[in-house]
Amino acid sequence: MQNGKLNNSQRSALVKLVQNNCERRIAVQKALLHDDLTQITQEVREELDVTGIDEQIACHESMIKELEAEKEKLGFGKYSSNGDTLTGSEARRLVDKRAARRRQEIADMEAEMDRTMSAIWTATELSEVKPMVDEILAGV
């Protein structure tokens, strides 16, 4: 760097630093989203009494077909013990609604990374990008 001017090698190094940092933070948020979706789905199962329905099925085999139909109406199909919900169901809507905030945070982080990397490549002075890079790196 000469007189505060960025050369392509410096830009490339800054972009790599920002990209690695952002990608690591995004990966953490995606992992947290996965964990949150599991928890949210379990909460929805409990809220819609799917767990109670599963217990009734085990206790009252004669009611299995009726209870499975009720379970499906709520959005948890016959084989949904793994937490999957049926597309278009109330359960799916609740899970999607509760996970939307985390998905938006991830999208915002990805957009911030793109804006910062683009700014680095168009900058002529280190002083133009230093605050952005510092802000990204401080968010670790």
Side-chain angles (χ1 to χ4, degrees):
M1 178 174 52
Q2 221 174 29
N3 299 328
K5 301 240 184 244
L6 289 173
N7 63 36
N8 281 345
S9 294
Q10 293 164 326
R11 285 185 185 100
S12 181
L14 284 172
V15 164
K16 187 84 169 156
L17 178 67
V18 167
Q19 183 178 18
N20 288 341
N21 180 277
C22 289
E23 287 176 349
R24 185 175 55 251
R25 288 175 40 219
I26 289 166
V28 167
Q29 290 301 313
K30 286 180 178 180
L32 289 173
L33 173 61
H34 179 267
D35 293 343
D36 286 352
L37 281 173
T38 301
Q39 181 181 350
I40 289 167
T41 302
Q42 184 59 35
E43 290 170 2
V44 169
R45 288 179 63 81
E46 291 171 10
E47 180 179 318
L48 297 176
D49 199 28
V50 173
T51 303
I53 292 171
D54 286 340
E55 291 171 3
Q56 288 182 24
I57 289 171
C59 293
H60 307 286
E61 288 195 12
S62 63
M63 298 173 60
I64 287 176
K65 288 184 181 182
E66 179 184 326
L67 292 171
E68 285 178 344
E70 184 179 341
K71 181 178 169 183
E72 194 164 331
K73 281 169 81 175
L74 294 173
F76 292 90
K78 183 175 182 177
Y79 302 106
S80 68
S81 61
N82 63 356
D84 293 337
T85 55
L86 300 174
T87 303
S89 69
E90 178 67 8
R92 173 82 291 172
R93 187 189 65 75
L94 288 169
V95 168
D96 288 346
K97 180 180 174 186
R98 293 179 187 185
R101 185 184 62 79
R102 181 63 57 87
R103 285 188 178 106
Q104 184 58 49
E105 288 175 5
I106 291 169
D108 292 346
M109 290 172 77
E110 290 171 335
E112 179 184 9
M113 177 181 72
D114 290 345
R115 281 191 303 273
T116 302
M117 290 189 313
S118 180
I120 289 169
W121 281 110
T122 60
T124 58
E125 303 283 331
L126 178 61
S127 61
E128 294 175 57
V129 295
K130 186 174 183 331
M132 289 183 283
V133 171
D134 289 345
E135 183 179 332
I136 292 275
L137 296 179
V140 174

